[in-house]
């Protein structure tokens, strides 16, 4: 009897699929286990098993890269196994070649990269069987069974497959040729000076260098503030002078509470010191919803801010919690929602978390109070591409975690619990005290109902630096007990940390002026959650960036590269717009409105332009100019 081989992207997904289908036994193998029953064989990759290779007859060994061998544009692309997972590829090849395997089902992740992983396996193993596509957006048992009832045809998936291959080959062409051309240029006077470039790493580097240029060009400006302490019948409070008619203009340094003349500041102080003023204030109750569930990038940012963990470290810890301890969902996700049908699983996870002492009094409340509802802000399959948000799993409690692993689990678990709690309610008070025609502003916040903030140990009461304010009646007269002038200075923008660089990469679409390209990058940014940590680490390994404490600082090599690209007039390699343009055109391939041949012809043209520009360039470098508008603090 003919059987169907189902290939998942990861072992955990293969396990979930065989559970949903039932009737299968585990078969142990040195290369990894698989499952087999009367109708199905279920096996998995472990992510990417193959990568594009330089065809041997076109290859030139590192250290001998010259323009004579460029551009490197092979007539066809070859694949090579990734060494660490080669045994898994051999297992899949053995299963594919079995005479009783009559059909293949692609059960890799629902998205472009999942399609690419499967297509490369088929190509490398020369599989001849008919192909069907399992499109999974949720890993619940009912969703898996439903997806099997609606398998997609191979023909239906061809546009996505073509877009996936195009993305892979385009990155390869630009990365290989750009790196070898820049290296050849920098090595033309002898030696070997590796100069890597890429569609993703170079724009990321440009973001950091641009900030460094701002910092170096920055010139501090002195300004003054007038601060006063006021005495009301119910107590004392402080205020800061401000200009109520202030409007933001071209001067980015200017703010309503800044005075650019020390003499004027002293005049205001003398005018108000010891005088009586009148108070008016406004109060409004504000509700703050819990932050959304973590995707990988927001988890990496939070862990960097809280614990100083690098993006690479956080990913490794989350991966261990997923693979080794089996207590977290798949971490390489860009989604902040759960599938629409995941409500019961969420209730089960909360019930499980009550067994942990730190969550015992917190995790049960959402279930007991009926707060776990099909809220589209939390449960929304339409907002999930490949994987749902990073959350604790309902199957196992964590045991024997290292301290760093426990910290990451705690971050994810608290965020998961908090998202089901009611909004935090705060009374925000803005008080204006007018003395001799001059206005002083005071703010105070009082937490009325902590809501989700209770998960983080907060209770009702004063919050923030100013805290609660002594009560005043409308129009009450108060005395300025003491007024003083404080001299300050503007400061440059801060250097990027990994947390802020991850945010910049995620939001890189905002840097793109073209509306269509910005829209294409809306969900993408520079890189993906799965690759951003490796991009940052790669820039450090290649000595483009160095870590100083939590800060990332560009090296001279980084400035030289971007200066060279500017001199060559191939700045698009360092601009986020290139990613936006590619994403836009790849989406057109997916929708059948642009041919793969047309896209790749454009990529080959770009590759030839880069190589030719480097070959003909006679200069050394071009100074990097400071941005026109510097955002001072």
């Amino acid at each position: 009897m003919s059987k169907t081989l189902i290939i998942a992207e990861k072992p955990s997904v293969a396990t979930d699929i065989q559970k949903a289908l039932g009737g299968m036994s585990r078969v142990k193998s040195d290369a990894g286990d698989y499952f087999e029953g009367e109708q199905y064989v279920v096996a998995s990759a472990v992510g990417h098993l193959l990568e594009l290779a330089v065809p041997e007859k076109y290859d030139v060994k590192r250290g001998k890269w010259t323009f004579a061998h460029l551009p490197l544009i092979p007539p066809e692309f070859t694949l090579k196994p990734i060494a660490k997972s080669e045994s898994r590829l051999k297992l899949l090849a053995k299963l594919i070649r079995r005479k009783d395997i009559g059909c293949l089902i692609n059960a890799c992740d629902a998205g472009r990269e999942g399609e690419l992983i499967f297509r490369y396996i088929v190509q490398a193993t020369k599989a001849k069987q008919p192909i069907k596509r399992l499109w999974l957006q949720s890993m619940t048992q009912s969703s898996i069974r439903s997806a099997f009832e609606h398998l997609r045809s191979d023909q239906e998936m061809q546009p996505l497959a073509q877009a996936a291959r195009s993305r892979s080959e385009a990155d390869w062409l630009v990365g290989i040729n750009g790196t070898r051309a820049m290296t050849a240029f920098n090595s033309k006077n002898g030696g070997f000076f590796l100069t890597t470039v890429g569609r993703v790493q170079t724009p990321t580097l440009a973001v950091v260098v641009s900030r460094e240029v701002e910092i170096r060009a920055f010139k501090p400006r002195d300004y003054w503030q007038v601060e006063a302490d006021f005495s009301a019948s119910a107590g004392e409070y402080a205020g800061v002078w401000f200009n109520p008619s202030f409007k933001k203009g071209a001067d980015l340094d200017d703010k309503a509470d800044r005075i650019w003349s020390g003499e004027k500041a002293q005049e205001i102080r003398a005018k108000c010191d010891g005088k009586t003023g009148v108070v008016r204030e406004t109060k409004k109750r504000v509700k703050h919803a819990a932050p959304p569930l973590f995707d990988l990038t927001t988890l990496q940012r939070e862990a960097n801010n809280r614990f100083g963990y690098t993006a690479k470290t956080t990913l490794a810890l989350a991966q261990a919690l997923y693979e080794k301890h089996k207590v977290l969902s798949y971490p390489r996700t860009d989604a902040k929602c759960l599938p629409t049908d995941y409500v019961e699983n969420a209730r089960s996870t909360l019930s499980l978390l009550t067994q942990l002492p730190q969550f015992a009094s917190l995790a049960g409340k959402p279930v007991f109070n009926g707060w776990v509802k099909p809220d589209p802000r939390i449960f929304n399959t339409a907002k999930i591409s490949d994987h749902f948000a990073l959350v604790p799993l309902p199957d196992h409690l964590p045991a024997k975690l290292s301290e760093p692993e426990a910290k990451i689990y705690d971050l994810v678990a608290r965020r998961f619990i908090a998202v089901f709690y009611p909004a935090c309610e705060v009374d925000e008070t803005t008080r204006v005290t007018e003395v001799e025609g001059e206005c002083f502003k005071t703010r105070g916040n009082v937490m009325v109902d902590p809501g989700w903030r209770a998960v983080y140990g907060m209770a009702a009461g004063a919050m923030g630096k100013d805290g609660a304010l002594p009560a005043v009646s409308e129009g009450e007269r108060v005395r300025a007990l003491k007024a003083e002038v404080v001299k300050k200075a503007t400061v440059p923008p801060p250097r990027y940390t990994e947390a802020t660089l991850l945010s910049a990469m995620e939001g890189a679409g905002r840097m793109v002026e073209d509306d269509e390209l910005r829209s294409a990058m809306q969900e993408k940014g520079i890189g993906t959650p799965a690759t951003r940590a490796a991009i940052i680490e790669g820039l450090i390994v290649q000595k483009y960036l160095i870590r100083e404490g939590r800060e990332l600082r560009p090296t001279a090599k980084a400035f030289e590269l971007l200066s060279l690209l500017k001199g060559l007039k191939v700045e698009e390699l360092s601009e986020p717009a290139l990613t936006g343009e590619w994403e836009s055109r790849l989406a057109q391939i997916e929708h059948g409105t642009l041919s793969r041949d047309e896209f790749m012809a454009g990529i080959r043209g770009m590759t030839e332009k880069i190589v030719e520009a480097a070959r003909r360039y006679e200069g050394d470098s071009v100074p990097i100019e400071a941005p026109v508008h510097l955002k001072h603090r």
Side-chain angles (χ1 to χ4, degrees):
M1 179 181 173
S2 178
K3 295 185 179 183
T4 296
L5 173 61
I6 303 167
I7 300 177
E9 188 169 320
K10 297 172 288 293
S12 63
V13 177
T15 300
D16 289 338
I17 289 172
Q18 68 86 21
K19 285 180 182 176
L21 296 176
M24 280 181 256
S25 301
R26 183 185 293 270
V27 180
K28 293 191 176 294
S29 160
D30 291 340
D33 299 351
Y34 63 94
F35 304 91
E36 186 162 359
E38 291 185 5
Q39 185 179 355
Y40 296 109
V41 178
V42 182
S44 79
V46 280
H48 283 275
L49 302 182
L50 295 135
E51 60 187 358
L52 293 176
V54 181
E56 191 171 345
K57 66 179 179 178
Y58 295 97
D59 198 12
V60 177
K61 298 305 178 187
R62 178 168 159 160
K64 297 182 179 180
W65 295 346
T66 68
F67 288 114
H69 304 99
L70 294 174
L72 176 56
I73 304 178
E76 60 182 30
F77 288 87
T78 58
L79 298 170
K80 67 176 181 180
I82 296 172
K84 66 179 182 180
S85 54
E86 190 169 4
S87 61
R88 184 60 65 103
L89 179 62
K90 289 179 179 177
L91 170 63
L92 292 177
K94 182 179 178 181
L95 294 173
I96 288 170
R97 290 168 186 151
R98 274 175 38 173
K99 292 182 179 179
D100 62 341
I101 298 297
C103 178
L104 303 181
I105 292 181
N106 176 6
C108 292
D109 292 348
R112 193 195 298 156
E113 288 308 297
E115 197 68 26
L116 185 68
I117 288 169
F118 178 81
R119 297 291 170 174
Y120 277 177
I121 292 169
V122 168
Q123 178 181 334
T125 59
K126 298 181 172 60
K128 304 297 183 185
Q129 295 94 332
I131 293 169
K132 294 182 180 180
R133 183 53 149 120
L134 182 72
W135 197 260
L136 288 175
Q137 292 285 63
S138 170
M139 294 309 300
T140 63
Q141 301 291 289
S142 60
S143 291
I144 293 172
R145 286 189 285 268
S146 175
F148 268 97
E149 294 172 3
H150 301 89
L151 291 171
R152 301 183 180 185
S153 69
D154 185 46
Q155 184 64 29
E156 189 179 355
M157 301 311 300
Q158 284 304 311
L160 181 63
Q162 290 174 2
R165 287 185 183 276
S166 298
R167 195 283 307 158
S168 178
E169 293 171 10
D171 271 336
W172 189 94
L173 283 172
V174 171
I176 290 286
N177 284 282
T179 294
R180 294 192 179 193
M182 297 305 117
T183 301
F185 176 86
N186 283 327
S187 306
K188 63 184 179 181
N189 294 323
F192 181 77
F193 299 96
L194 180 63
T195 311
T196 59
V197 298
R199 174 180 65 99
V200 177
Q201 76 160 41
T202 310
T204 301
L205 183 63
V207 168
V208 183
V209 169
S210 178
R211 175 62 60 85
E212 189 68 22
V213 171
E214 285 189 66
I215 292 169
R216 294 182 184 184
F218 176 79
K219 291 180 173 56
R221 295 173 61 188
D222 291 338
Y223 68 92
W224 290 261
Q225 289 183 322
V226 179
E227 300 175 355
D229 292 332
F230 297 99
S231 174
S233 58
E236 296 181 5
Y237 63 92
V240 177
W241 177 92
F242 76 103
N243 178 4
S245 59
F246 172 81
K247 290 183 180 179
K248 193 70 177 175
D251 187 349
L252 299 181
D253 282 337
D254 212 3
K255 293 184 179 180
D257 60 358
R258 291 182 178 180
I259 305 168
W260 297 104
S261 163
E263 290 77 11
K264 181 180 177 182
Q266 289 292 351
E267 288 174 7
I268 295 172
R269 182 203 66 76
K271 183 178 180 182
C272 300
D273 195 16
K275 302 295 175 55
T276 300
V278 179
V279 177
R280 65 180 187 275
E281 69 179 22
T282 58
K283 286 185 179 181
K284 66 177 178 179
R285 182 156 297 180
V286 180
K287 292 186 177 183
H288 299 283
L293 297 167
F294 281 123
D295 64 1
L296 177 59
T297 299
T298 52
L299 177 66
Q300 288 170 320
R301 290 204 311 254
E302 186 76 5
N304 184 255
N305 286 329
R306 292 278 298 276
F307 313 125
Y309 293 166
T310 66
K312 179 182 178 182
T313 296
T314 298
L315 174 56
L317 292 169
Q319 196 72 21
L321 290 166
Y322 163 70
E323 286 185 358
K324 178 182 175 183
H325 300 288
K326 304 186 187 308
V327 294
L328 281 192
S329 59
Y330 185 68
R332 297 170 187 261
T333 177
D334 61 357
K336 298 178 181 179
C337 289
L338 295 169
T340 306
D341 61 0
Y342 202 84
V343 177
E344 283 305 317
N345 296 64
R347 291 192 181 106
S348 298
T349 302
L350 289 165
S351 297
L352 184 75
L353 290 173
T354 60
Q355 299 178 43
L356 295 173
Q358 65 270 39
F359 304 131
S361 63
L362 299 170
K365 285 185 178 179
V367 178
F368 180 79
N369 292 307
W371 295 339
V372 186
K373 301 173 182 177
D375 181 349
R377 179 175 173 267
I378 305 169
F379 302 99
N380 195 335
T381 302
K383 291 188 176 181
I384 300 170
S385 54
D386 298 354
H387 307 281
F388 58 72
L390 228 174
V391 295
L393 292 177
D395 305 312
H396 302 96
L397 284 171
K400 298 182 180 178
L401 301 184
S402 67
E403 181 181 347
E405 288 171 343
K407 285 180 176 179
I408 296 299
Y409 184 82
D410 187 84
L411 282 182
V412 177
R414 286 188 191 276
R415 179 70 67 96
F416 175 75
I417 295 169
V419 81
F420 297 107
Y421 270 64
C424 166
E425 295 186 24
V426 177
D427 275 345
E428 295 183 354
T429 300
T430 300
R431 179 176 297 174
V432 175
T433 307
E434 186 174 344
V435 182
E436 300 292 319
E438 305 292 346
C439 294
F440 294 78
K441 184 177 290 184
T442 309
R443 296 183 188 277
N445 294 328
V446 176
M447 190 184 296
V448 178
D449 182 349
W452 61 271
R453 290 183 182 271
V455 177
Y456 296 90
M458 297 187 183
M463 58 182 294
K465 183 177 70 174
D466 296 328
L469 299 174
V472 294
S473 55
E474 187 68 17
E476 180 177 342
R477 300 192 66 80
V478 299
R479 179 174 293 279
L481 296 176
K482 177 184 178 185
E484 61 180 353
V485 174
V486 180
K487 183 179 180 181
K488 298 183 178 181
T490 58
V491 296
R495 288 190 173 87
Y496 282 105
T497 65
E498 289 207 28
T500 55
L501 182 55
L502 286 167
S503 294
M505 294 170 75
E506 185 179 42
R510 292 190 290 271
M511 306 175 192
V512 177
E513 293 183 6
D514 184 277
D515 290 342
E516 185 177 343
L517 301 187
R518 186 166 60 248
S519 176
M521 289 185 69
Q522 188 173 1
E523 302 297 328
K524 298 291 182 182
I526 300 176
T528 67
T531 62
R532 285 176 190 138
I535 292 163
I536 295 171
E537 289 297 324
L539 289 170
I540 293 169
V541 168
Q542 295 296 335
K543 296 182 171 54
Y544 286 122
L545 296 180
I546 56 174
R547 282 194 186 97
E548 290 187 350
R550 294 193 183 186
E551 291 184 341
L552 296 170
R553 187 190 293 262
T555 63
K557 182 180 178 181
F559 280 87
E560 289 165 3
L561 171 62
L562 295 178
S563 179
L564 175 58
L565 293 177
K566 182 176 182 179
L568 296 175
K569 294 183 170 55
V570 289
E571 297 103 314
E572 61 261 42
L573 268 181
S574 62
E575 294 174 353
L578 179 61
T579 287
E581 182 178 345
W582 284 22
E583 288 298 339
S584 177
R585 292 170 72 81
L586 290 169
Q588 291 174 39
I589 296 175
E590 289 181 25
H591 295 124
T593 57
L594 178 71
S595 73
R596 166 166 152 74
D597 288 344
E598 185 179 348
F599 175 79
M600 292 307 301
I603 297 299
R604 286 191 290 272
M606 178 183 177
T607 300
E608 291 166 354
K609 174 191 171 185
I610 293 168
V611 171
E612 193 60 23
R615 191 197 314 273
R616 293 181 178 276
Y617 185 55
E618 298 296 334
D620 293 318
S621 65
V622 176
I624 299 178
E625 298 172 0
V628 175
H629 299 296
L630 301 182
K631 295 181 180 179
H632 308 328
R633 285 0 180 222

